[in-house]
Amino acid sequence: MLLRSVLRVHCHTNRLYPQFRSNSRAFSSRYGRRTSYKRTQVLYPAGVAASLTAAGVLAVKSEPKSSSNSSSKEGGGEVGGVTGGLTAGEWKDGLPLYSFDEVKKHDSSENGVWVIYNKGVYDITGFISKHPGGELLLVGAGRAIDPYWKIYSVHHSPETHALLESMRIGNYDTSSTPEEEKGEDDGELDNQWSNEPQSRHPALLCNQEKPFNAEPPPAILTGDFHTPNDLFYVRNHLPVPPRVDPKEYRLEIAKETGIGEGVEPIELSLEEIKAFPVTSISAVVQCGGNRRHSMASYKPVRGLSWKGGAIGNARWTGVRLCDVLKHVGVSGGNYGGIKHVQFEGLDADAMGSCYSASIPIETAMDPNRDVLLVFQMNGEDIPIDHGYPLRVIVPGAVGARSVKWVSRIVLSTEESPSIWQRRDYKLFPSNVDINNVDYESSEAMQDMPVQSAICLPIPGSTVDISSGFVTLRGYAWSGGGRSISRVDVSINGGKDWSVAKLHSNESQKPNRVWAWSLWEATVPVSACTGQLDIVCKAMDSSCNTQPENVESIWNFRGLANNAWHRVSVKTANNI
């Protein structure tokens, strides 16, 4: 298959899930129904329930998500900027008319790359090197890209449509479409979304339905040191895979030819994995795009509009990756030429290409980095949304490296060839955008920077100051195992500061502090104050601090926003 040859990813999804095998007819299939998620009532400990009540989310009715409500959150491709109604692919008078056969001639870099979208024809030859998917675009060369955009719905945004229209060269003669390209509904691609959980917590704020991406309101996060499983943010890059029978599950460990002398490729059952020494750690997982929404207030960025809830802290139970790799023969000072450990998930697109990411071999083999293959989350089997039956946890690193539904580990001389390693989750300076980006010029994100955020009070709310004080709550965390030394808060935009009290339910070892610190501050406030401009900033054990503004860290993907967090609220007496 062309896509696999482009990606060089030998995804073994088909080994367990033959329904993911794809063919040319499936590629051009039409996609059907929007998934609706049942909303259910859940009981929580008093601390969490109090935060839910404060956030105003416990009163949410248990009913299916309406299509009208979800449509505004479906795409989420770019945050900020264009807000018009531009839709790509509409008929335009005065443009040349091209037939399917004429477009199909332009199906390679040598012949130029043309694509069809709805009633438009586009020459994207010069854009291929700039797209995060790179040569993946060649899969749709000379054909309609509509089916692919129905999988990767992140493309449905005004900015992306405007970008596509800038490459418009003509109109498409829809009557020329061959029968085999019309996409009969054979159900294969329809079923891509059939494995989504039918019940998700009503408090989750949906940023995108397909694939599903949602976060809890930040006000919920301070209710418990360990984030409840169904309130943990969900970051899916692809459809949720079918629930695998744990008795049939196998983890394959493979290697490139010519490296890792003495390493024996192996397949391990779930029971065999659980036979290794089991350990538990409390660790944060944070999406690289957490707080992207506030970065977009300065300048438009590309990506899902995460508000500040794309982070969670859980108790993860599993086995050390280094123990498993030692078992298969990885050893020595240079690890036999092995430089990277690639992880492949069971989640795959309609073309059989799976999610993949990698970490350096030194990270994988360091017992003090606590990289785990986990099968429990907060004392329960990992929920399907979070990687059942087995996922990788790389504590201290960007969440994209903690691959869910892991089914294959590849020992390699190179990083994962996936777009999520090579062309995404990379930081670029503010003068770089989609038009001039050189993806090879930046390293893939690994450890995350120091971070803090205000969870309560809620932005735009009115707080009672009749007591003469206001109480602030939030979270703070730093990547790489660094602890939080201090959180400073201000209620007047940073003119005066107070030190918050840190709460941590566990004692963790120096340089292995993977969990967050919840913080609280009670600050005196003047009775005549009408508005509070609340700010927080953290410092970690390496004296790293958060930058004051997003201007200095802005990047076109909106990643790693750790600028001072700011919340404005109104004040009143005796509410």
Side-chain angles (χ1 to χ4, degrees):
M1 182 182 298
L2 177 58
L3 181 62
R4 291 190 184 183
S5 65
V6 170
L7 271 180
R8 297 185 294 123
V9 171
H10 309 289
C11 180
H12 277 210
T13 302
N14 293 341
R15 174 168 51 83
L16 290 179
Y17 302 123
Q19 60 265 50
F20 276 142
R21 292 176 188 143
S22 42
N23 50 49
S24 59
R25 181 181 180 185
F27 293 164
S28 58
S29 293
R30 290 193 179 125
Y31 294 73
R33 302 167 295 279
R34 176 187 300 276
T35 302
S36 295
Y37 301 103
K38 296 179 181 177
R39 304 288 167 165
T40 57
Q41 184 177 5
V42 184
L43 297 177
Y44 290 97
V48 175
S51 292
L52 284 164
T53 304
V57 296
L58 278 182
V60 176
K61 295 181 179 179
S62 299
E63 58 186 16
K65 191 174 186 72
S66 67
S67 58
S68 61
N69 182 44
S70 61
S71 61
S72 64
K73 299 175 181 178
E74 173 81 18
E78 283 81 19
V79 183
V82 180
T83 57
L86 176 64
T87 301
E90 295 179 349
W91 180 273
K92 284 189 174 181
D93 293 334
L95 292 179
L97 184 66
Y98 294 102
S99 68
F100 179 84
D101 287 341
E102 289 174 303
V103 175
K104 194 174 182 179
K105 295 176 183 177
H106 301 274
D107 61 355
S108 66
S109 298
E110 293 76 19
N111 300 325
V113 179
W114 291 12
V115 296
I116 302 163
Y117 183 71
N118 198 2
K119 297 178 182 178
V121 177
Y122 306 85
D123 184 349
I124 65 170
T125 309
F127 181 66
I128 291 176
S129 63
K130 303 172 185 176
H131 189 276
E135 293 187 348
L136 266 173
L137 273 67
L138 293 175
V139 178
R143 307 179 65 179
I145 60 174
D146 305 56
Y148 307 103
W149 277 27
K150 288 175 180 176
I151 299 174
Y152 300 105
S153 57
V154 70
H155 292 91
H156 293 297
S157 70
E159 287 83 359
T160 304
H161 279 227
L163 181 61
L164 183 63
E165 282 299 303
S166 71
M167 295 176 275
R168 182 80 172 260
I169 60 172
N171 293 318
Y172 176 58
D173 181 1
T174 56
S175 66
S176 68
T177 305
E179 287 298 319
E180 63 270 19
E181 292 287 330
K182 289 184 178 179
E184 299 176 14
D185 188 1
D186 61 6
E188 184 169 355
L189 297 186
D190 257 357
N191 290 335
Q192 287 287 296
W193 309 104
S194 63
N195 304 301
E196 300 290 318
Q198 293 302 301
S199 178
R200 286 172 169 135
H201 196 280
L204 291 178
L205 307 174
C206 181
N207 284 324
Q208 184 183 52
E209 281 218 43
K210 295 181 180 179
F212 187 76
N213 288 279
E215 63 186 313
I220 291 177
L221 293 177
T222 60
D224 203 307
F225 180 70
H226 291 126
T227 311
N229 290 356
D230 53 358
L231 286 174
F232 210 97
Y233 83 97
V234 179
R235 177 62 172 113
N236 292 335
H237 295 84
L238 296 165
V240 172
R243 187 179 181 90
V244 62
D245 184 339
K247 295 181 180 179
E248 297 181 2
Y249 173 84
R250 297 294 183 272
L251 173 66
E252 179 188 358
I253 301 178
K255 67 168 184 173
E256 287 182 6
T257 303
I259 63 171
E261 183 179 356
V263 175
E264 294 295 332
I266 193 174
E267 285 192 352
L268 296 172
S269 68
L270 195 58
E271 289 305 311
E272 289 171 326
I273 292 170
K274 291 181 178 181
F276 288 90
V278 174
T279 188
S280 296
I281 62 170
S282 291
V284 159
V285 177
Q286 179 182 220
C287 178
N290 192 32
R291 295 185 55 207
R292 178 181 283 130
H293 181 80
S294 59
M295 183 175 279
S297 64
Y298 166 64
K299 187 178 177 181
V301 296
R302 295 175 177 269
L304 298 173
S305 184
W306 299 109
K307 307 298 188 300
I311 185 173
N313 186 58
R315 186 71 174 169
W316 306 99
T317 299
V319 302
R320 296 185 188 279
L321 177 61
C322 61
D323 290 344
V324 176
L325 295 184
K326 288 177 183 177
H327 174 74
V328 300
V330 178
S331 63
N334 66 351
Y335 304 108
I338 300 168
K339 294 184 177 180
H340 300 275
V341 179
Q342 302 174 7
F343 308 110
E344 297 177 4
L346 289 170
D347 48 333
D349 61 22
M351 295 157 280
S353 296
C354 59
Y355 183 84
S356 176
S358 63
I359 60 175
I361 183 65
E362 291 81 8
T363 301
M365 294 300 293
D366 185 352
N368 292 324
R369 280 305 302 251
D370 295 314
V371 180
L372 301 184
L373 300 174
V374 303
F375 41 80
Q376 284 191 345
M377 179 179 181
N378 291 329
E380 302 175 353
D381 287 345
I382 294 181
I384 187 67
D385 256 338
H386 298 289
Y388 180 88
L390 195 73
R391 79 171 291 176
V392 180
I393 289 294
V394 186
V398 64
R401 308 298 165 233
S402 292
V403 175
K404 300 191 288 188
W405 309 293
V406 61
S407 66
R408 192 167 189 251
I409 295 175
V410 181
L411 308 175
S412 175
T413 58
E414 296 185 2
E415 291 182 297
S416 167
S418 78
I419 60 173
W420 297 284
Q421 188 80 26
R422 298 293 184 94
R423 303 176 73 88
D424 201 356
Y425 297 107
K426 291 188 171 188
L427 296 177
F428 297 94
S430 59
N431 63 314
V432 173
D433 59 25
I434 191 67
N435 297 308
N436 62 4
V437 62
D438 175 9
Y439 291 103
E440 297 301 319
S441 67
S442 179
E443 295 181 356
M445 292 175 65
Q446 294 289 344
D447 289 349
M448 292 291 283
V450 61
Q451 175 72 281
S452 71
I454 301 157
C455 296
L456 286 171
I458 299 170
S461 63
T462 300
V463 297
D464 188 344
I465 60 170
S466 57
S467 66
F469 296 90
V470 61
T471 298
L472 317 175
R473 294 185 178 91
Y475 63 78
W477 176 74
S478 191
R482 297 177 292 272
S483 63
I484 295 298
S485 298
R486 194 179 76 230
V487 173
D488 299 330
V489 297
S490 171
I491 60 172
N492 57 9
K495 295 178 182 178
D496 302 288
W497 295 92
S498 301
V499 177
K501 181 179 180 181
L502 301 179
H503 300 287
S504 179
N505 287 25
E506 294 183 359
S507 176
Q508 301 191 77
K509 296 180 180 179
N511 301 316
R512 294 170 69 181
V513 181
W514 311 121
W516 62 14
S517 293
L518 300 179
W519 57 263
E520 181 178 353
T522 300
V523 184
V525 57
S526 170
C528 62
T529 302
Q531 177 174 308
L532 302 179
D533 296 317
I534 306 170
V535 184
C536 76
K537 59 185 177 77
M539 182 177 75
D540 69 18
S541 54
S542 294
C543 298
N544 297 310
T545 58
Q546 297 176 242
E548 181 174 353
N549 298 301
V550 299
E551 285 89 336
S552 62
I553 58 172
W554 183 92
N555 58 91
F556 77 92
R557 282 287 284 114
L559 296 168
N561 179 16
N562 70 329
W564 294 2
H565 192 214
R566 303 170 185 271
V567 166
S568 293
V569 298
K570 297 178 181 179
T571 63
N573 286 284
N574 300 312
I575 296 178

